[in-house]
Amino acid sequence: MVWLALALQPRGRDVIERGQEAFRAKDWPAAETRFQEAVRQFPANADAHKWLGMTYAAEQKLAMAEEPFRRACELAPKDAAACYYHARTLFHLGRFEESLRAYDRVRPKDGRALLGVALVLEALDRFKQAESLFRQAIAAGEQQARGDYERFRRRRAAPVLDAPDFQFEPAQLPVIVRNGAEGKKHLVETMIAGVAVFDYDNDGWPDIFVANGAAIPSLRKPDASFHNALLRNNHDGSFTNVTTKAGLTGEGYAMGVAAADYDNDGNVDLFVAGVRRQTLYRNRGDGTFEDVTARAGLKEDRYWSVAAAWLDYDNDGRLDLFVVRYVDWDPEREPYCGAQAYRQYCHPGLYAAQPNALYRNLGNGRLSDVSAGSGIALWKGKGMGVAVGDYDKDGWMDVFVANDTEPNFLFRNQGNGRFQEVALAAGVAYNENAAAISSMGAEFRDLDNDGFEDLFVTALTNETFPLFRNTGKAQFIDITVPSGIARASLPWTGWSSAAIDLNNDGWKDLVTANGHVMDNAELSSGRQSRQPSQVYFNRQGRFAAARLPGEAFHRGLAFGDLDRDGRLDFVITRLNQPAVVLYNRNQAGNWISFHLRGSRSNRDGIGALIHIETELGSQYNRAVTSNGYACSSAVPVHFGLGTATKVRVAEIQWPSGIRQKLENLEAGRVHPVVEP
């Protein structure tokens, strides 16, 4: 009977051919099944491994494609295609040194291999060698090389502006952000921690909350040293940890935070996003919080939520909640990634995308899940940052979601309770190379003072931090290269971010919290793991970059005037180190802020757009609390005024539709404004 079994066993070529038929028909599940079967039955067949890798690559499952491409190259070292695919995949995974070594095995080196080496050399800052390889690839007839070479030259020729002298005074906070890492490289470990700047006790001084619940779900019991932290501002530059007294210790693996007064009672509440847990803490107004998650209808133990934003999407005067979700993750099924000699965190391509969620505020302390009816749940992504703005100025708040290795989402609010996903049509789904990058933090702010909100996105090393300019025609254009941001951001991995006027000159600057995803990036990419955060000073649409002192695994970044001196400060979290405040000590111009109180609109006027006119020109800013990656920042709407001493006119467009005009406002103070 043995001979019969052998006779009935399909030959390797037949299985591969059936897989190729499915591949040509773009029936990826069928192709996967066929090639996986071929690999199991004929593990020494290089073609089976190569075609399996090609199928994964076609589905953008690059992390899964790496191993079969590697195996195919090992089995058939003379197969230039298999070795090229392996090297290219390593490049797209950010493993640059490994990619360079893999390209050494591509024999002979045709035009596409020469181009691949050029791209790796650029990623490693070896620009002279890269330029030579680009030219060789063009001479070899590689058609794509001309376009890539032109983009390389544009990046190299981008303006490099000298940053002004700057000064920030660091002060460590009494909380260490612990990710619970024990060497098993659980994906969640590299993703924390968000931070909020808000005034929880209404004393006029911004306080700080750090999301820091970091016991790995289902693997260990909660540890008191991993609790979240509420830090009360002592009015003298120091902070006191009042977490236990406030009732905010919590449990689980916390990720991000969104602060806002969701019940319009005058006290700022906290929503904490986390792994298989999301928690709503209601501020009682006496210095303590209560967990109202279940009562509010928000209890959830299935999804990994990373970030959130409070917004009034239906303009009914009550703040609704948008929750950003990442991937389907199970610590018991964490794959092994990296090399035999060392383990690394896995690429998000190995995990399934998840839908985001929208909860409508019913006005009685409860929120209702309207994700399906609003159209939000139709779209699955790998969400990280969330930014809220009105990009088309129709009076309805829109939502941008920064997706990791997937196209970004721009949910256009149609004003009827439904959203339309328009990122591709609007020009913000991909970067200028039509690639889905590792988008992380997001800022929806008017950076060129033209009245239209632009988009700034942080991303992974070698992807640059895209800047999309709003044209005013419901579309954006990518100006990352001419703005000077591309060249300055290329070596770094950015997480949270802020668009704020640091020197009060009337132009919003950018701040990014940088740190590699990998805690051992030097082993595979040639990039450093611990990185400096950055400031991009806005020179009327072009940016002069400067590195902030101190290298770390920076993650969260939120802002506020923590010492009330009229200059915006910011807080940065660092993995397994104390969080730090950077007090703004820069020479700065005049300033003005607006503390809004809604009547028909939500109490804090979240979503209100303020337009000011001074002798130096116009500016626009919006009252929102979500910023960057998994963070939340203080509500008062701040403007730098430069040398102007008065605001001639301030016009406020409230979420209710009411327009309010104020005249001749003095600089150097916070103006309380009540909606008429």
Side-chain angles (χ1 to χ4, degrees), residues 128-203:
K128 287 185 179 180
Q129 292 174 281
E131 182 156 13
S132 174
L133 267 294
F134 276 120
R135 290 177 174 177
Q136 291 180 46
I138 293 171
E142 175 60 28
Q143 293 183 350
Q144 189 175 334
R146 291 187 180 277
D148 284 337
Y149 181 48
E150 178 59 30
R151 283 187 284 272
F152 167 79
R153 294 185 62 184
R154 285 177 58 221
R155 286 191 289 269
R156 295 295 296 154
V160 179
L161 304 180
D162 292 331
D165 292 334
F166 64 92
Q167 186 175 1
F168 296 93
E169 179 183 342
Q172 288 192 2
L173 292 169
V175 57
I176 295 177
V177 175
R178 302 185 188 276
N179 65 355
E182 296 178 337
K184 296 181 180 179
K185 303 299 181 187
H186 293 297
L187 187 62
V188 296
E189 296 166 2
T190 195
M191 303 281 286
I192 63 170
V195 59
V197 173
F198 71 118
D199 184 4
Y200 88 96
D201 52 3
N202 287 329
D203 66 352

Side-chain angles (χ1 to χ4, degrees), residues 457-537:
V457 181
T458 57
L460 200 65
T461 294
N462 205 47
E463 292 179 336
T464 76
F465 301 166
L467 175 59
F468 300 100
R469 180 179 177 271
N470 191 333
T471 65
K473 300 177 181 179
Q475 285 189 321
F476 296 79
I477 56 174
D478 190 324
I479 61 168
T480 314
V481 171
S483 71
I485 290 176
R487 186 169 177 178
S489 63
L490 191 69
W492 313 116
T493 292
W495 293 77
S496 194
S497 56
I500 52 179
D501 190 347
L502 289 170
N503 52 8
N504 288 339
D505 66 350
W507 295 85
K508 298 179 191 68
D509 310 299
L510 298 168
V511 191
T512 61
N514 298 342
H516 209 286
V517 174
M518 302 295 177
D519 57 1
N520 54 1
E522 291 83 355
L523 296 175
S524 62
S525 70
R527 295 294 191 187
Q528 63 190 85
S529 298
R530 291 177 171 82
Q531 299 181 357
S533 293
Q534 290 175 286
V535 176
Y536 295 81
F537 289 98

Side-chain angles (χ1 to χ4, degrees), residues 221-235:
K221 296 179 180 178
D223 187 323
S225 65
F226 290 152
H227 282 160
N228 301 323
L230 176 63
L231 309 177
R232 185 179 183 277
N233 193 326
N234 295 327
H235 311 174

Side-chain angles (χ1 to χ4, degrees), residues 90-111:
L90 288 168
F91 167 76
H92 286 300
L93 292 174
R95 295 160 62 177
F96 305 129
E97 293 286 1
E98 291 181 64
S99 177
L100 203 58
R101 291 193 292 270
Y103 272 118
D104 285 340
R105 295 195 295 270
V106 180
R107 297 287 189 270
K109 281 189 172 60
D110 57 13

